[in-house]
Amino acid sequence: MVNRILDNTKGDRWIWLIVIMLSAISLLAVYSSTGTLAFKRGVGVESILMKHLAMVVGGIALMYFSHKVDYRYYAGISKLLMIITIPLLLYTLVFGAHINNASRWIPIPGTGLSFQTSDLAKLALITYLARTLSRKQENIKNVKESFAPIMGAVCVVFALIAWANMSTGLMLFGVSILLLIMGRISIKQIGITCLAGAVLLAGIMFLGPRRHMYVTRINTFMHPEKVDPDKAFQANHAKIAIANGGILGRGPGNSVERNYLPESYSDEIYAIIVEEYGLIGGITLVGIYLFLLYRCIKIVTRAPKAFGALLAAGLSFSLTIQAFANMAVAVGLGPVTGVPLPLVSMGGTSILFTSVAFGIILSVSRDIEEPKKVVVGEIREVEMAV
């Protein structure tokens, strides 16, 4: 059975190994950091771990099925995804569940899970941009046919996400700009898009429902010595956790700050990993994400079609930028955000959508490998005939 699954597993083998490694790290870190959460819920830590394990296994299954689908099919559903995504984002802002003073989630009836619509929006926008940029190359300078729909999609999705989740919106906007550069959009048009994004950002910062929180977080990051210690509680305890880790760490399960850090199993899980596994563990995790980016860039440079290259680039940039943003917050290089560490932080649907993104990247990688196998097979047939 295992051999049969391995024979049907295609794509970059290193990315499969990276996913397995990150999943194993996630299980260890989540098990260690959910003691306080289990106490609050009145359940055992093992119960939370088993739910997380189910999500991890479900994510790997989704990744397997996603990588078996020819990546070109995702171009066909990109418009449909955008049509679904924008109303969902609007619905979330108005009727979504309010968690941590933000309306980002839609409860899934009967499951006890919450669906974060920004996860779907990331997939939808990246696939839509990859499809549009690859198909409009001949008229890429045409404002009405090419630039207007691209800029409209980027700005609308950015505004709807940033209204409740500024960090995710900014990262997705940055990935979109990178795709526009790769898609040969002119510097002038990219500048117009950035200007429109800056105007939207300023409007959300000064008029949005979370404007006071954004100002507080920025002030806390820029001038930590001048703010109330309670407002810098999360950032301070993340730094304490990292300082306690030293070179080798306290050892698995020996974190102290997991009892103080809010969201220690999600937003601040990197701080817990460094506390338990030390500088060596922290650098190892950074190295894994850097190696992931390297493997994805190799896929991008070897992809025979523009759509595949843009799709793999957008998804890989999105995953790695999110990872480094999470780790930067933990070590004090950025203001506190609500960005999880991909495939490591405990989560529900976010793990599933991240796994689908990996599956699509592997699908592009599979398309690169299969032509080689066909050529090798033809050469062998010729040799046998001779």
Side-chain angles (χ1 to χ4, degrees):
M1 179 67 178
V2 175
N3 290 333
R4 185 177 178 183
I5 293 174
L6 291 175
D7 290 338
N8 288 316
T9 300
K10 309 297 181 183
D12 192 302
R13 300 289 180 178
W14 285 107
I15 293 182
W16 281 104
L17 180 60
I18 288 169
V19 169
I20 292 171
M21 291 174 64
L22 290 177
S23 299
I25 292 170
S26 176
L27 292 172
L28 291 171
V30 168
Y31 182 67
S32 176
S33 60
T34 49
T36 303
L37 179 65
F39 177 77
K40 289 179 180 178
R41 293 182 178 178
V43 298
V45 177
E46 292 77 11
S47 173
I48 295 176
L49 179 65
M50 293 307 296
K51 289 182 180 179
H52 180 62
L53 175 61
M55 281 295 172
V56 170
V57 173
I60 292 174
L62 271 179
M63 184 172 65
Y64 175 80
F65 289 116
S66 298
H67 104 288
K68 296 292 287 183
V69 177
D70 191 317
Y71 74 90
R72 286 176 282 264
Y73 285 108
Y74 295 108
I77 64 172
S78 61
K79 275 192 171 182
L80 177 61
L81 285 176
M82 285 297 293
I83 292 171
I84 294 172
T85 294
I86 292 176
L88 270 178
L89 289 171
L90 285 169
Y91 178 87
T92 305
L93 289 177
V94 179
F95 302 106
H98 288 262
I99 302 175
N100 295 333
N101 298 318
S103 182
R104 307 176 187 173
W105 293 266
I106 297 177
I108 302 176
T111 64
L113 298 175
S114 295
F115 164 58
Q116 191 165 351
T117 47
S118 61
D119 292 326
L120 174 62
K122 284 188 284 188
L123 279 177
L125 182 59
I126 290 171
T127 53
Y128 175 78
L129 288 179
R131 173 187 181 274
T132 306
L133 288 169
S134 61
R135 293 193 176 188
K136 300 287 185 180
Q137 282 300 300
E138 294 182 0
N139 300 314
I140 200 65
K141 307 298 182 183
N142 188 299
V143 174
K144 184 178 179 180
E145 293 185 9
S146 302
F147 178 62
I150 290 172
M151 177 180 169
V154 171
C155 290
V156 168
V157 172
F158 165 66
L160 291 176
I161 293 177
W163 191 262
N165 190 347
M166 181 67 74
S167 54
T168 300
L170 284 173
M171 284 187 290
L172 185 56
F173 187 83
V175 171
S176 300
I177 295 299
L178 289 174
L179 283 179
L180 297 188
I181 294 171
M182 292 181 63
R184 299 194 306 115
I185 295 291
S186 69
I187 298 298
K188 179 181 177 181
Q189 292 175 338
I190 292 174
I192 293 171
T193 305
C194 291
L195 179 61
V199 172
L200 290 171
L201 176 63
I204 294 168
M205 286 284 291
F206 293 106
L207 302 175
R210 310 183 76 202
R211 56 187 180 277
H212 299 300
M213 187 191 70
Y214 296 141
V215 172
T216 300
R217 286 184 175 182
I218 293 173
N219 286 336
T220 301
F221 172 67
M222 297 296 294
H223 308 286
E225 72 285 353
K226 297 180 181 179
V227 299
D228 186 346
D230 290 338
K231 294 180 180 179
F233 182 85
Q234 184 171 340
N236 289 339
H237 278 274
K239 294 173 185 176
I240 292 170
I242 291 171
N244 288 341
I247 302 297
L248 299 177
R250 289 178 173 270
N254 292 325
S255 169
V256 174
E257 292 302 314
R258 64 186 176 185
N259 299 317
Y260 300 96
L261 269 172
E263 308 293 332
S264 61
Y265 46 84
S266 179
D267 301 346
E268 299 292 348
I269 199 165
Y270 183 69
I272 302 302
I273 291 172
V274 175
E275 184 181 12
E276 294 190 347
Y277 299 94
L279 181 63
I280 293 175
I283 292 176
T284 299
L285 193 55
V286 170
I288 291 173
Y289 283 110
L290 285 174
F291 187 62
L292 168 65
L293 181 60
Y294 166 73
R295 296 305 304 179
C296 290
I297 289 174
K298 287 199 69 174
I299 294 170
V300 172
T301 56
R302 294 167 57 196
K305 302 291 183 181
F307 173 68
L310 291 169
L311 185 61
L315 293 174
S316 59
F317 288 152
S318 176
L319 291 170
T320 50
I321 288 173
Q322 179 179 328
F324 288 113
N326 175 280
M327 293 186 284
V329 169
V331 299
L333 294 178
V336 173
T337 64
V339 177
L341 194 57
L343 285 188
V344 176
S345 295
M346 189 180 83
T349 53
S350 63
I351 291 178
L352 303 182
F353 279 105
T354 300
S355 299
V356 171
F358 272 104
I360 296 173
I361 294 171
L362 287 167
S363 179
V364 178
S365 173
R366 191 190 70 175
D367 186 64
I368 296 170
E369 293 180 356
E370 286 181 349
K372 288 185 176 181
K373 293 181 179 179
V374 172
V375 171
V376 171
E378 290 176 353
I379 292 173
R380 288 179 178 172
E381 288 179 3
V382 171
E383 289 176 347
M384 291 176 66
V386 173

